[in-house]
Amino acid sequence: MAWEEQVGSLARERGPALVGYAYLLTGNLPAAEDLVQEGLIRTFSRRRSTADVEWLEAYVRRAILNAYLDTYRRRRLWTRTAPKLAAATTSDAPDTLATDKADVDAALAHLGPRERACVVLRYFDDLTTREVADTLKISEGAVKRYLSDARAHLGQLLTEQDGDAADVLPTARRTR
Amino acid sequence: MNETLQDRLRTLATTAGQAHSRRDPLPVDHIVGRARRSRRIHDTVLLAASGAAVVAVALTGATLAQRDPTPPPAVSPTPVETPTPTPTPTPTEAVTPPVEPTPPPASTPSTLPLKDPLASRWMGDASLSSDVPESGDTLEDGDYFADLLSVDPKARTVEVDITILLTGALADAWVRENDPEDFADGVENGYRIINDVERPRTLPLADDARITMWCTGAPGIQQQEWTFEDWAALPDTGDTTCAPDDATRNRYYWVDVRDGEVAQLVGQFFP
């Protein structure tokens, strides 16, 4: 299958799942769709030997995460150097989903980008804190700190996770 | 609450996916086009890196030749020859893709849509590249990026110096490869203009060409539209404010070429 066809196949078959994943990071549907586009572009900008859709989807998810973090880093640069444009570049969430899970949505909206990425990787992708650290190229201690900070925002939601509170709280006490 | 956070996240993701399914599908053609363009740039970088390596080997051979009159032939059989390839790795007009031929842009004049000239094309975060000119004094259809050199109101032409604009991850990749000392946690301000298209071009404007420029002084960035005559009469230096009396011409523009003419000139702001 030519790579152009793989793009179409992924977009058709896995587009909703990818957008759902991106939405957990952005909290905004158009932004999530843009992020998926960016992830697909990044993935297929390199020549890859694999034609396996599952592997390609994994590449795209990783690209989505990196694009999300890159976007926030650049936005910080942009708003610092172009203060007059700050109002135009901030992205509020008018397209936030109207859902009965809006509490999760709202809670996630209070997280910083790295906190949010840690939460998604830990609780949605089921990665260990070590794997989250490897994925984000930060230390495991930093991951635990981000998760601890996220816990402060998410409150009750995180305390229901078996074992995680015990894993996070001591780290939080050490680092503050 | 009985649901775990995992359950809630999965439900939220599913709900978002379902909401996406009710909207326009992902623009596959656009994604393929941008990926293809990135591949061309990536190929160019690879070619440049290979060229730089060849030059390095040749220079090493030449140096050894100066020290030793009988240099080992495996390094450079003709060490007196001066290597001519430039080590500057850039997407120039003469570059040939090194890995596999990339088909030319699939779009034709009738299928390459014009972007909204009243919308700023780059707002600091997206990864994109302007089109790379391929041949001749004229330009193929495409969205190029240029430094405006002059305007001829009578001939209704603009003289432009085409450059290659890379932003976001593409700029990061290029600078990492070619200007690593200037890379610190990303490219400064998220973009890099590569001015390696040497020949300025004089291009005619279409009769219905649209011209927009950014200006400051209003909330956010604004793209204001100008008639060719008013725009051509503006001074080309000074502040660019939204006040008509203070307006000057932008320096950098997206030059959207269709059928050999400039269909749009869209000013681009940079911090």
Side-chain angles (χ1 to χ4, degrees), chain A residues 3-4 7-8 10-12 15-21 23-24 29-30 33 36-38 40-48 70-71 73-78 81-82 84-89 95 97-105 108 116 119-120 122-126 154 156-158 160-161 164, chain B residues 1-6 8-24 26-28 30-36 38-40 42-43 99-100 102-103 122-127 167-170 172-173 184-190 215-222 268-271:
Chain A
W3 68 269
E4 292 93 337
V7 176
L10 260 180
R12 279 189 306 275
L18 291 169
V19 170
Y21 182 75
Y23 183 88
L24 294 180
L29 195 52
E33 291 166 340
V36 172
Q37 279 190 50
E38 183 68 25
L40 286 166
I41 289 166
R42 288 187 181 198
T43 301
F44 286 96
S45 291
R46 298 283 180 88
R47 301 173 197 284
R48 300 184 190 281
D70 288 350
T71 296
R73 179 171 57 77
R74 293 202 181 85
R75 185 161 291 157
R76 282 204 310 274
L77 275 173
W78 178 266
T81 52
K84 291 175 182 174
L85 306 182
T89 58
D95 292 285
L97 292 175
T99 168
D100 58 353
K101 302 303 176 190
D103 53 346
V104 188
D105 219 353
L108 288 172
R116 193 161 179 151
V119 166
V120 171
R122 178 72 184 89
Y123 298 111
F124 185 78
D125 287 339
D126 288 331
L154 295 174
Q156 184 68 23
L157 293 173
L158 264 180
E160 294 179 355
Q161 306 308 304
D164 278 331
Chain B
M1 289 185 287
N2 294 322
E3 283 184 306
T4 64
L5 179 61
Q6 281 99 331
R8 288 167 179 262
L9 290 175
R10 292 186 197 293
T11 303
L12 185 59
T14 302
T15 306
Q18 290 168 343
H20 163 70
S21 298
R22 292 190 291 272
R23 293 158 57 91
D24 291 336
L26 293 169
V28 173
H30 171 73
I31 293 168
V32 167
R34 283 190 52 195
R36 183 178 288 132
S38 297
R39 284 178 174 224
R40 290 168 64 189
H42 187 252
D43 289 349
V99 180
E100 74 180 43
T102 304
W122 185 64
M123 291 293 286
D125 47 19
S127 295
T167 71
L170 293 174
D172 284 351
D185 192 29
V187 179
E188 186 178 6
N189 294 329
C215 61
T216 60
I221 195 167
Q222 278 199 356
Q268 173 65 54
F269 172 83
F270 292 112

Side-chain angles (χ1 to χ4, degrees), chain A residues 107-152:
Chain A
L108 288 172
H110 286 92
L111 304 183
R114 286 203 177 275
E115 291 171 350
R116 193 161 179 151
C118 285
V119 166
V120 171
L121 289 172
R122 178 72 184 89
Y123 298 111
F124 185 78
D125 287 339
D126 288 331
L127 301 188
T128 65
T129 52
R130 177 74 260 162
E131 291 168 333
V132 174
D134 291 342
T135 301
L136 296 178
K137 295 183 173 59
I138 57 179
S139 69
E140 192 171 3
V143 171
K144 290 180 177 178
R145 195 190 71 213
Y146 283 129
L147 287 173
S148 174
D149 292 344
R151 178 181 173 277

Side-chain angles (χ1 to χ4, degrees), chain B residues 104-197:
Chain B
S107 301
T108 64
S110 60
T111 61
L112 187 59
L114 287 167
K115 298 181 176 70
D116 180 3
L118 293 173
S120 181
R121 204 160 293 185
W122 185 64
M123 291 293 286
D125 47 19
S127 295
L128 53 82
S129 71
S130 58
D131 282 334
V132 181
E134 292 181 351
S135 63
D137 292 326
T138 59
L139 290 174
E140 303 81 8
D141 285 4
D143 297 346
Y144 301 94
F145 194 75
D147 188 348
L148 178 68
L149 300 178
S150 65
V151 181
D152 185 337
K154 290 182 180 174
R156 198 178 164 81
T157 59
V158 289
E159 184 186 19
V160 294
D161 180 7
I162 302 290
T163 63
I164 312 301
L165 172 65
L166 300 179
T167 71
L170 293 174
D172 284 351
W174 192 92
V175 173
R176 259 198 208 105
E177 187 77 30
N178 300 289
D179 195 6
E181 290 188 354
D182 204 29
F183 187 87
D185 192 29
V187 179
E188 186 178 6
N189 294 329
Y191 72 95
R192 175 59 62 97
I193 295 173
I194 304 162
N195 189 8
D196 263 16
V197 182

Side-chain angles (χ1 to χ4, degrees), chain B residues 13-99:
Chain B
T14 302
T15 306
Q18 290 168 343
H20 163 70
S21 298
R22 292 190 291 272
R23 293 158 57 91
D24 291 336
L26 293 169
V28 173
D29 289 344
H30 171 73
I31 293 168
V32 167
R34 283 190 52 195
R36 183 178 288 132
R37 193 177 303 171
S38 297
R39 284 178 174 224
R40 290 168 64 189
I41 291 173
H42 187 252
D43 289 349
T44 303
V45 170
L46 279 180
L47 174 68
S50 304
V54 168
V55 169
V57 169
L59 287 175
T60 302
T63 303
L64 290 173
Q66 288 175 349
R67 293 177 181 173
D68 182 353
T70 55
V75 176
S76 175
T78 54
V80 291
E81 287 184 8
T82 303
T84 52
T86 170
T88 306
T90 51
T92 61
E93 299 174 42
V95 163
T96 304
V99 180

